[in-house]
Amino acid sequence: MTTASRLTGPAAFLSTLAAMAQKELMIMLRYPVEFVASFGQVFLIVVVLTLAGLMFSPGGLRGAGGDSGTSGLVVYGFFLFMFMSDTLWTIGYNVHRDQKQGTLEILYLSPASKFANLLSRIVVTLVWTGLMCVMAAVVMSVMIGALPFHNLALGVYVLALALAGTFGVGFAFAALTLRLKETAQTVANLAQFAFMVLCAPFFPFAALPEFLQWAARLIPLSYGVDAFRSTLMGYPAGFPELAPIEVELVIVTAFGVLMPVIGYWLYRREEDVARMKGSLSEY
Amino acid sequence: MTVARVGRPSLSQNLSAALAEAQLRFTNISRYPGQLLTNVIIPIVFAAMPMLLGRATGGASAEANFAANTGSSNYVGYMLIGSCVFQFVSSTFFLVANWLRFEQETGTLEAVYLTPTSSATLLGGVVLYSTVRSLLPALVAYVVGCLIFGLNPFDGNLGLALGFIAAGLVPLAGMSMLFGAVVLKVKEANALLNLMQWVVSFLMGIFFPVAIMPPLLQYLAWLFPPTWMTNGVRSALLGVGYFFGHWYLDMAVLWAFMFLAPLLGWFVFRRTEQGLQRNEGMGQF
């Protein structure tokens, strides 16, 4: 077997992906302060938002613990919010970090798979954000009542596809980072706010004004949020809110399958432009 | 030929250096209007989250429940004040920390410490910038937020509310030095700073009264100047009630912080700085 053939093919791809993912995880583990602080931060976000929500309940904090519908609505929306905001930040931020450290150009000169390089950034998000979601779920369950837990298999399916779509958005945002450089951070912030409002991760879509509900219907991820929490909550009256569950499943599936392809295509396009212009290491 | 002597800079020279430092930063931020826009949007969106959730889950009795739990039925004003003060406070802290981190990363911190301008002067300029830069977007966010949610932003005792904000500026500036000291000491402190922002939000009672906290946490919250500022503004505009029953007693507490917080902040910052200078830590990051 020649040296060149050992660098291509599925085995080489998986080996590269494993090595790069291991590198990302090792970086994460070498900053224990950051590790613990992030956990603390999620804990406090959950506590602050939960306490805020409880101010509208009869009895406030004393009346907490009864309504599993509310906890399901908030917790399951919070899961997708965490993944979405992390993905928006992580992939683009990591590409930007490589630009700043001057290692992006070198990475692109190596024979390693560029897709594996991009995909490895997701591993940390999946492991880390997944852990934080579990912790957030436990904290919220203690504070505002047990979580509803129906249709687990379908819930996992919806979550997997919504996450796949989200990672596609992350790839597209990484492409934007190559083009906009420092400004991309501001765009990520604005996108995060738009998501917080239009995809309604912390409240039902019915709480939005009518015109914003229409805007929410134009975003595929809204259907992911709606389908995911409605499924796990066992379709209580009024849920799903945006469309019948069958329609939502089709949209979520299409989002999960197509968005990674589109996102990666956009990234490769921007990367080619940057290489031709010689701006890959500019930031 | 007259040779200029390098000596201790005069007060006017220090003031001029501090203003130049602040002006530098204002010029820099004017080149990134998107960041300023974000500072206005953040508190509005952030306040909208619990409002929309509460409105949906509380139903028709949301307003009454909120009044029973917080002392005001005006939940829009309550949440907006909380998120705008939070944005102001956390941004003030973060900008001072960010200044030091930026100088560390670009390798200029050591050089800055070798100029005849003292770190106190430069820090003064950065604190001035961070206070103005954080306060103005927060005020704009409050007015815009009120208009979006259908409130009159000029309702209530506006003069007294502004008085509480003004009285809180100096303690905040003092506390921002503590954040600076954390960056000097810990260096890669982004996650820690993010965590501290949320600790701030919790202790100041961003969306809820501190009275719902357990007693120990309440005492801790009372040692934190932004808690008095937030409650003062809420009491002046919404009538939720002062901690000590009268506005002048709460204001007196903020005045006490006005003297204590800068002293504590400067003491901690200076000690950290001197420790690093002695141990070759200023140029490391």
Side-chain angles (χ1 to χ4, degrees):
Chain A
M1 187 189 257
T2 62
T3 312
S5 65
R6 278 203 302 272
L7 294 169
T8 54
F13 174 81
L14 287 175
S15 161
T16 309
L17 179 63
M20 287 180 166
Q22 191 185 0
K23 180 205 87 178
E24 294 294 327
L25 287 169
M26 275 173 74
I27 292 175
M28 187 182 87
L29 290 171
R30 281 185 181 159
Y31 294 92
V33 174
E34 199 159 325
F35 203 66
V36 175
S38 303
F39 257 123
Q41 192 187 342
V42 169
F43 174 78
L44 281 170
I45 294 175
V46 169
V47 169
V48 164
L49 287 174
T50 307
L51 287 176
L54 286 173
M55 292 302 102
F56 294 89
S57 314
L61 201 55
R62 290 183 307 279
D67 189 1
S68 69
T70 306
S71 56
L73 192 82
V74 177
V75 173
Y76 297 137
F78 183 74
F79 280 6
L80 282 178
F81 168 74
M82 291 275 292
F83 278 110
M84 180 68 189
S85 53
D86 250 25
T87 308
L88 265 182
W89 280 109
T90 311
I91 303 177
Y93 173 80
N94 282 349
V95 168
H96 194 57
R97 188 187 66 191
D98 279 340
Q99 280 181 317
K100 274 186 165 176
Q101 291 174 341
T103 46
L104 191 68
E105 187 100 54
I106 309 293
L107 268 175
Y108 278 87
L109 290 172
S110 77
S113 159
K114 290 166 188 65
F115 185 60
N117 172 33
L118 209 57
L119 208 59
S120 66
R121 324 281 173 156
I122 293 170
V123 175
V124 175
T125 305
L126 273 176
V127 173
W128 186 227
T129 312
L131 272 174
M132 293 214 267
C133 284
V134 171
M135 191 198 74
V138 172
V139 174
M140 277 176 136
S141 301
V142 170
M143 290 184 73
I144 54 178
L147 289 173
F149 218 58
H150 305 276
N151 313 310
L152 187 61
L154 189 56
V156 170
Y157 172 80
V158 173
L159 178 66
L161 282 159
L163 289 186
T166 301
F167 292 140
V169 176
F171 294 155
F173 179 70
L176 205 64
T177 307
L178 287 179
R179 176 172 285 208
L180 299 181
K181 301 177 176 78
E182 199 69 37
T183 315
Q185 219 169 35
T186 307
V187 177
N189 269 330
L190 294 174
Q192 207 174 352
F193 297 139
F195 170 67
M196 275 170 88
V197 175
L198 295 175
C199 296
F202 299 112
F203 47 83
F205 286 93
L208 287 171
E210 192 65 32
F211 74 99
L212 285 183
Q213 285 188 34
W214 278 107
R217 283 192 170 89
L218 298 174
I219 304 172
L221 192 60
S222 301
Y223 296 92
V225 172
D226 196 25
F228 179 57
R229 65 186 176 202
S230 302
T231 301
L232 288 179
M233 283 159 62
Y235 311 115
F239 288 88
E241 299 175 88
L242 298 177
I245 188 65
E246 296 78 13
V247 176
E248 293 204 337
L249 285 176
V250 171
I251 295 171
V252 172
T253 305
F255 176 60
V257 171
L258 295 178
M259 196 59 219
V261 178
I262 296 169
Y264 186 61
W265 175 76
L266 286 171
Y267 182 78
R268 287 306 300 262
R269 202 166 144 258
E270 276 311 313
E271 179 202 290
D272 285 344
V273 171
R275 276 193 294 191
M276 277 191 289
K277 281 164 61 182
S279 62
L280 202 54
S281 57
E282 288 175 10
Y283 60 93
Chain B
M1 192 171 83
T2 314
V3 179
R5 286 182 57 203
V6 179
R8 280 175 69 87
S10 66
L11 181 67
S12 66
Q13 284 171 326
N14 273 333
L15 195 64
S16 164
L19 289 175
E21 175 70 38
Q23 190 188 359
L24 175 157
R25 285 169 202 283
F26 283 120
T27 308
N28 182 260
I29 191 62
S30 69
R31 290 177 182 160
Y32 299 93
Q35 281 191 26
L36 292 173
L37 180 69
T38 309
N39 287 162
V40 173
I41 295 173
I42 288 173
I44 300 172
V45 173
F46 198 42
M49 298 296 108
M51 274 189 239
L52 292 169
L53 173 66
R55 222 185 267 180
T57 54
S61 52
E63 212 169 275
N65 292 340
F66 192 81
N69 290 321
T70 64
S72 170
S73 59
N74 184 353
Y75 60 85
V76 174
Y78 195 95
M79 300 295 184
L80 261 179
I81 290 169
S83 65
C84 289
V85 176
F86 167 62
Q87 165 70 14
F88 164 50
V89 171
S90 66
S91 170
T92 306
F93 292 161
F94 185 77
L95 287 171
V96 172
N98 199 39
W99 163 61
L100 285 162
R101 189 68 197 141
F102 182 77
E103 301 277 10
Q104 279 178 339
E105 284 184 336
T106 50
T108 48
L109 191 65
E110 187 96 62
V112 163
Y113 270 83
L114 290 172
T115 64
T117 313
S118 73
S119 58
T121 304
L122 296 175
L123 187 63
V126 175
V127 167
L128 174 69
Y129 156 76
S130 62
T131 309
V132 176
R133 148 89 201 271
S134 308
L135 182 59
L136 291 180
L139 290 175
V140 173
Y142 179 69
V143 173
V144 173
C146 281
L147 296 176
I148 289 175
F149 295 114
L151 274 188
N152 179 358
F154 306 108
D155 261 354
N157 193 339
L158 207 62
L160 188 56
L162 289 173
F164 270 100
I165 290 173
L169 293 180
V170 179
L172 270 190
M175 292 190 69
S176 66
M177 293 181 212
L178 295 176
F179 275 70
V182 170
V183 170
L184 282 180
K185 190 78 186 166
V186 183
K187 296 178 175 76
E188 188 61 73
N190 275 349
L192 207 60
L193 289 172
N194 287 338
L195 173 67
M196 283 161 86
Q197 281 187 330
W198 285 96
V199 173
V200 167
S201 77
F202 180 74
L203 286 180
M204 63 179 262
I206 177 173
F207 295 139
F208 43 81
V210 292
I212 65 165
M213 295 178 187
L216 189 69
L217 279 177
Q218 276 187 51
Y219 293 132
L220 209 61
W222 285 336
L223 290 173
F224 191 57
T227 306
W228 296 83
M229 199 161 81
T230 312
N231 193 63
V233 175
R234 276 185 183 144
S235 302
L237 296 181
L238 309 175
V240 295
Y242 296 99
F243 289 134
F244 285 147
H246 301 283
W247 70 266
Y248 47 85
L249 294 177
D250 280 23
M251 186 70 93
V253 176
L254 263 183
W255 273 78
F257 281 126
M258 209 186 280
F259 294 102
L260 294 174
L263 285 177
L264 175 72
W266 178 241
F267 172 74
V268 173
F269 185 83
R270 192 74 191 125
R271 253 184 93 89
T272 312
E273 190 185 59
Q274 284 171 339
L276 289 175
Q277 279 170 327
R278 276 197 298 270
N279 295 308
E280 303 173 357
M282 204 50 87
Q284 295 173 3
F285 65 95

